[in-house]
Amino acid sequence: MLLKREEGFILQDAVLTLICFSLLVSLTIPFITQLYKHHHDIKRHEEAYNQLQQAKAYILQNEPPASYLSEISNESFSTILLEDNQRLIVCIEWKDSNETNKELCQYIPNYM
């Protein structure tokens, strides 16, 4: 014979399970979001490095025209050419997912 007080346990178990599941989801979503941002920042850094290598190869093969900066720069990355004591430096600038400015530079050897 079932006692009346046992009938409420199913609802209590369901509510407790729902609360535990909600707590678990609320704790994992920020972690997953942070992982996604980190992955996106790594991809952007790799893309910037590839563009930097392309710019370096172009400059080593050709005399860079004045319009070269506008050709390689786009809405995500900007390219800067600097001269430093008879050396040429090419830099790529971009912003990461936190809107922090990032920069990647390389010297171009034997240019001048």
Side-chain angles (χ1 to χ4, degrees):
M1 179 164 156
L2 295 174
L3 298 174
K4 286 187 176 183
R5 62 185 171 111
E6 291 181 5
E7 291 176 5
F9 283 119
I10 295 174
L11 179 60
Q12 289 174 354
D13 289 342
V15 169
L16 184 61
T17 302
L18 186 62
I19 290 172
C20 290
F21 182 72
S22 299
L23 183 64
L24 181 66
V25 168
S26 67
L27 292 175
T28 57
I29 286 178
F31 178 71
I32 291 171
T33 304
Q34 190 67 24
L35 281 177
Y36 176 76
K37 283 183 178 181
H38 185 67
H39 177 71
H40 180 69
D41 289 342
I42 289 172
K43 288 287 188 187
R44 300 270 299 176
H45 189 273
E46 289 174 356
E47 188 178 338
Y49 181 77
N50 289 337
Q51 282 197 1
L52 183 65
Q53 294 305 317
Q54 289 174 0
K56 186 177 169 183
Y58 180 85
I59 291 169
L60 286 172
Q61 292 174 359
N62 307 313
E63 181 71 26
S67 64
Y68 177 72
L69 291 178
S70 60
E71 291 174 12
I72 193 95
S73 297
N74 57 32
E75 59 196 41
S76 301
F77 300 99
S78 60
T79 305
I80 301 168
L81 293 174
L82 305 169
E83 286 189 46
D84 179 34
N85 297 333
Q86 303 296 328
R87 293 183 293 187
L88 193 65
I89 304 169
V90 60
C91 295
I92 301 276
E93 293 180 345
W94 74 97
K95 291 189 181 224
D96 66 0
S97 60
N98 295 329
E99 295 298 319
T100 305
N101 290 331
K102 298 289 184 177
E103 183 179 55
L104 190 60
C105 297
Q106 284 190 347
Y107 288 109
I108 298 180
N110 303 326
Y111 180 72
M112 305 222 171

